[in-house]
Amino acid sequence: MNHFQTILPRVRMLLAGHLPSQARALLDSMLERELLSREYHCALLREPDGEALARKISLTLLEKGDPGLALLRWAWGTWQAPLAERDPDDKDRAGSGQCAAMELGPLEGGYLELLNSNADPLQLYHLCDQMDPAREEIELCSEPDMDTINCEQFSRLLCDMEGDEETREAYANIAELDQYVFQDSQLEGLSKGIFIEHIGLEEMIGESVETLEEKKSQKRCEVPQASQVLPSSSPAIHSLPKSPERPGSTSPFAPSAADLPGMPEPALTSRADVTEEQMSPTRSPAAHEVSSQLPKWPERVEKFCGALRDMYQAEPAGPEGILVEVELVRARLERSSSKSQERELATPDWAERQPARGGLAEVLLAGGDRRRPRETQVIAVLGKAGQGKSRWAREASRAWARGQLPQYDFVFYLPCHCLDRGGDTYRLQDLLFSLGPRPLPVDDEVFGHVWRRPDRVLLILDASEGLEGQDGLLHSACGPVCTEPHSVQGLLAGLFQRKLLRGCTLLLTARPRGRLAQSLSKADALFEVAGFSAEQAKTYLTRYLEHAGATERRERALELLQGQPFLLSHCHSPTLCRAVGQLFEALPELGGETELPSTLTGLYVGLLGPAARDSPPGALAGLARLAWELGRRHRGTLLESQFPSEEARAWAVAKGLVQPAPGAAAVGLAFSSFLLQCFLGAVWLALSSDIKDKELPQYLALTPRKKRPYDNWLEGVPRFLAGLVFQPHTDCLGALAGPAAATLKDRKQKVLTRYLKRLQPGTLRAGQLLELLHCTHETLDAGLWQHVVQGLPARLSFVGTRLTPPHTYVLGSALEAAGRDFSLDLCSTGIDPPGLGSLVGLSCVTHFRAALSDMVGLWESLQQRGEAKLLRAVEEKFTIEPFKAKSVKDVEDLGNLVQIQRTRSSSEDTAGELPAVRDLKKLEFALGPVSGPQAFPKLVRILEAFSSLQHLDLDSLSENKIGDEGVEQLSATFPRLKALETLNLSQNNITDVGACKLAEALPSLAASLLRLSLYNNCICDMGAESLAHVLPDMGSLRVLDVQYNNFTAAGAQQLAASLRKCPHVETLAMWTPTIPFGVHEHLQQLDSRISLK
């Protein structure tokens, strides 16, 4: 029995024929009995559509079982008394005392059949009683208060449903689908207009309505519409009654705007100016064209939107107006290790990167394929500090202001330093209008427009990592309808968890580490800011100098930068690129003797030295202390009252060290860049006598403690600290703080020297090793540098560690300084082609591994540039030994490598095999049961190219299942695999057919094959017999493993008999559960080489 089909019309009747207070009492009672959560109870009270309300209540009662059904019987009996006491003369004004009978057959199946059936909702509203087979129809009065209902039958139905556990479980699963209302293709009349507005899709108004009209035209031939005059043979069907003072609402208790002073009117009221004729499904085509257009925005909404566009269109002043577009690539988060729950950005190979070539439009559409209707879309743009995330986010708001994002009516750009507020409470409209960089007046009419169309809203939260210090950020008490003020943290948590302003697009920028980044694994789309390339850095510097009026310095500045590859590599960061431009601007002249600093510490000392000479007493130390203390709390904004003096504040603002932070609480200031805050924090550590000597090494963050580890949020501090403590005092720390700090600096230098010399570079992880090299490079201490590079191991693996241009430069410098040979593993490092070429071109690098796709690109690039010498060196050093194919792409890349060799061999100017192909000795194939059978034929076609292949492993924990067909294809290559010593065919679903094919081809490997494994396949007696027959011919075979197959004692005896003819075989492992243990023991007693392990 389909209980839902029977109970739904009853709930419709209960809601349609009674007062709002009675319906509210029903929901209140359901809340008291814990049948509804408080949030769902609040949502149902505001449900604007009666049909949706009836379905949701029905599903909830069916899901909860006994308590819900008892409650419905209570409501049924309680509401009958008022019906009997009503005025009996209150009948149909047309004189029709009762409706004629309507016949509607029972609907078979379940909930989905009900939604997709051809039954008209108006007929379902008057669905006949399915419980009494003697009655084929029921009579319904034209007014709900005169309906006659068989209460005894209904109570019997409820009792049956209480005992039907299977039905209750089925409906419990259905009850979770809260989106079903918006997918009902059978909506008619007023409900259609209601849902179109509630969903908020402009296209649906102009296009989908016509589609619905065409779908309904066939039904209307059979069932007359409620708005038409029906013939006398059909009953007069009335639509659901509307609530007074609630335009368009069919809910008997839908709250009006007056009921909720802090909330906009329901979605139904947004089209109050649309006439009933326009909403009618039977209007003329001309009326349809008029109603398919959205009504004009109210004047105040238009005015607000114009002001918002004007605010975003304003050109940034100074260097902020210089734009060089950075590249965004798709990203994903993965666990840093199998034992850790922390997630970090995955590191794809350079050729596997997926750039967002469509720009901002592609980014905003990236999560559309995963987005459900009326579901908030979360897009995150991640990147390290200084990579240009904030600049990109501001450009996104400007793009909307220029009309380039027509899919959004409103864009709200909120730098998160504006949201760093105390315990004050705010409403959502305050968050959107008043807490931005330029507060706008809160207008309830404008907010009502925003609230009704969340899918047309883009909310940009810039620098979200600044919110990590706030408690409760990831735990929200806000529901879908937030009527009470909350803290800023509560409102943001409601947005992050897709509860508040549900349906909007939320665009976040953040760093890839921290608590917030860990929660972004479920975002609809993730992107990473790639930073500047070398050409982009030069373009930016050119524009910067032109903007500063130093055009005549441009050529000389670029020449100097090209001669200082360390600074050029750090121009990968837009923030550091700007700092280099500021240095060029500050230098008095760029003559022939001008030298650029060779460290980051020297760069920032050169920028801050002139400002420090003009500082008030104690101003620099006070600002440095603020930078450190705020950084420990993950903050970069400060108040004017926090400065040690008014003179210090005025000096810091005048020198550009801090700048106004529009929208911040009270009168706020922010450090001009994150790296400047890191440098000032390091200055405080170097100058402070409060830092104990034994605590100083922890701030290098090279060997983090397991207990109470140092939170390296100011990630630039370790390098700056090493530079400030070790570089000559007069040129570095003395230029900032004077000679008084020399004694304190010497003591700290001794502490860090002992610590760095105790470190063993070979025991550090790849990321820690790179940071050690950077810190040592900043010291400019030749002895310490030699001590570190001499401790480097000969084999260096950076698998899974991101190698940026600065990493590539410092690593290459260290390898050259060591003066000995190294082998590098550069797979999954994301190293760019210029960096890869510079590393593998070093004479001290004798062998290296890298992604095949990256190597193919490097070879093609070197060929196009005509660098034949470097190309030959790269070919000789590159190795893929051993190679493990874990994806179809790995097999395809291996095929491309073989194709390059074939092309190279056929050319006239080159000869011989590629060393990487020629010297491959071990090849593993582990693609699993899905991709394995598909990719294995591609592997077979290139196997003959690996002339030195000794170990072919086709076993995988997830089972490749190449089957008999794969074995037959592989067997055809045996004559060309002359060096093959180990063949592992375990767990590949091989039967007797494959075993026979294999036995026929094995003599081709008789001179080389030492080990053959057919473990855990499906070989029976026939296959065992074939293997036994060929075993004496395998003169070099030493080990044969046929355990866990399906052959019986007969097959085992044939193998044992053949073994006696093979004195060269050392081990035959053939235990299988299909052979009695006694037979196993007997065979082992006859020949001890038979293994039962």
Side-chain angles (χ1 to χ4, degrees), residues 227 640 764 821 823 894 903 967 1003 1021 1048 1070:
S227 59
E640 290 187 351
L764 299 179
D821 294 341
S823 174
L894 193 62
T903 304
V967 171
D1021 289 340
T1048 64
M1070 65 173 185

Side-chain angles (χ1 to χ4, degrees), residues 308-323 391 394-395 397-399 401-402 404 438 547:
L308 202 60
R309 292 181 185 275
D310 292 341
M311 180 176 67
Y312 293 149
Q313 276 184 332
E315 289 285 344
E320 292 292 333
I322 304 174
L323 175 63
R391 188 73 177 90
R394 289 193 295 270
E395 280 302 309
S397 61
R398 291 187 63 200
R402 294 192 297 264
Q404 298 176 6
R438 298 182 185 177
H547 185 273

Side-chain angles (χ1 to χ4, degrees), residues 643-657:
F643 282 89
S645 65
E646 177 61 28
E647 293 79 8
R649 185 203 64 79
W651 165 79
V653 173
K655 296 301 181 180
L657 303 182

Side-chain angles (χ1 to χ4, degrees), residues 532-640:
F532 281 167
S533 64
E535 293 302 322
Q536 287 176 318
K538 294 177 182 178
T539 301
Y540 179 87
L541 287 174
T542 300
R543 296 180 182 177
Y544 183 93
L545 294 175
E546 291 175 351
H547 185 273
T551 308
E552 68 281 355
R553 295 187 171 197
R554 181 178 55 192
E555 297 298 331
R556 177 56 180 162
L558 294 180
E559 182 182 348
L560 287 173
L561 184 63
Q562 193 68 34
Q564 184 51 269
F566 175 81
L567 282 187
L568 181 59
S569 68
H570 277 84
C571 286
H572 169 75
S573 166
T575 297
L576 281 171
C577 191
R578 179 179 174 180
V580 172
Q582 291 173 336
L583 181 64
F584 281 132
E585 184 182 4
L587 290 176
E589 60 180 12
L590 299 179
E593 297 181 358
T594 304
E595 292 184 3
L596 295 180
S598 59
T599 63
L600 291 181
T601 307
L603 172 64
Y604 274 86
V605 168
L607 291 176
L608 266 68
R613 287 193 292 268
D614 301 335
S615 64
L620 179 63
L623 184 61
R625 179 171 186 170
L626 281 175
W628 173 251
E629 292 177 349
L630 291 172
R632 295 300 299 269
R633 300 200 301 268
H634 295 193
R635 297 188 179 185
T637 57
L638 61 161
L639 303 178
E640 290 187 351

Side-chain angles (χ1 to χ4, degrees), residues 917-948:
V917 177
R918 180 195 61 206
D919 298 335
L920 179 64
K921 294 181 173 58
K922 183 176 181 180
L923 175 59
E924 297 181 56
F925 183 83
L927 271 70
V930 177
S931 302
Q934 300 174 4
F936 188 69
K938 299 179 181 180
L939 179 66
V940 170
R941 287 194 290 269
I942 61 175
L943 274 180
E944 61 183 33
F946 305 106
S947 56
S948 301

Side-chain angles (χ1 to χ4, degrees), residues 106 159 218 313 356 362 477 527 671 769 885 907 914 1017:
C159 292
Q218 298 179 355
Q313 276 184 332
E362 180 179 340
F527 289 88
F671 291 98
L769 176 60
S907 62
L914 281 175
N1017 280 287

